[in-house]
Amino acid sequence: MHDALWMGAASLLNTLGMAWLALSQERHLDTVSVSAGHHPTPGPTPDSPTLRRWRLRGAALLALALGLCLWQDGAVFGSLLWLMLLSASALAVALQLSFGPGALRWLLGTSRMSVNR
């Protein structure tokens, strides 16, 4: 039971990290915005503070998940487990962006309007 909780936490961290990394890209951000009823606008600049914050947040969550896997299962199996969870998380986020992008809207919070356009 204890191992399942750690793996679930690492999986959640990986999925959130991949989602924030995806939303820091203009195409995916517009996909989620259009599903929310907003009209597409010219994309944010790659150096906008909000997108940098989302990239940093995503990378930090992925690193935290890696640390959790390494701490729980050691270097060899932990890194393998993290890579498998990372692949599953990337697939889950890609499918969510394809078939139900509105479900990722909560990750945008109120900062959607503050993206430098």
Side-chain angles (χ1 to χ4, degrees), residues 15-36 54 88-108:
T15 304
L16 286 174
M18 291 302 279
W20 264 312
L21 285 176
L23 290 177
S24 70
Q25 296 177 7
E26 177 184 354
R27 179 176 183 183
H28 301 308
L29 183 63
D30 284 342
T31 300
V32 173
S33 298
V34 167
S35 72
W54 289 349
S89 297
L91 178 64
V93 170
L95 289 173
Q96 189 66 50
L97 283 169
S98 297
F99 296 111
L104 296 176
R105 198 174 319 131
W106 67 273
L107 289 172
L108 299 176

Side-chain angles (χ1 to χ4, degrees), residues 28 32 43 49 71 73 82 96 102 111:
H28 301 308
V32 173
W71 177 70
D73 292 316
W82 180 73
Q96 189 66 50
S111 58

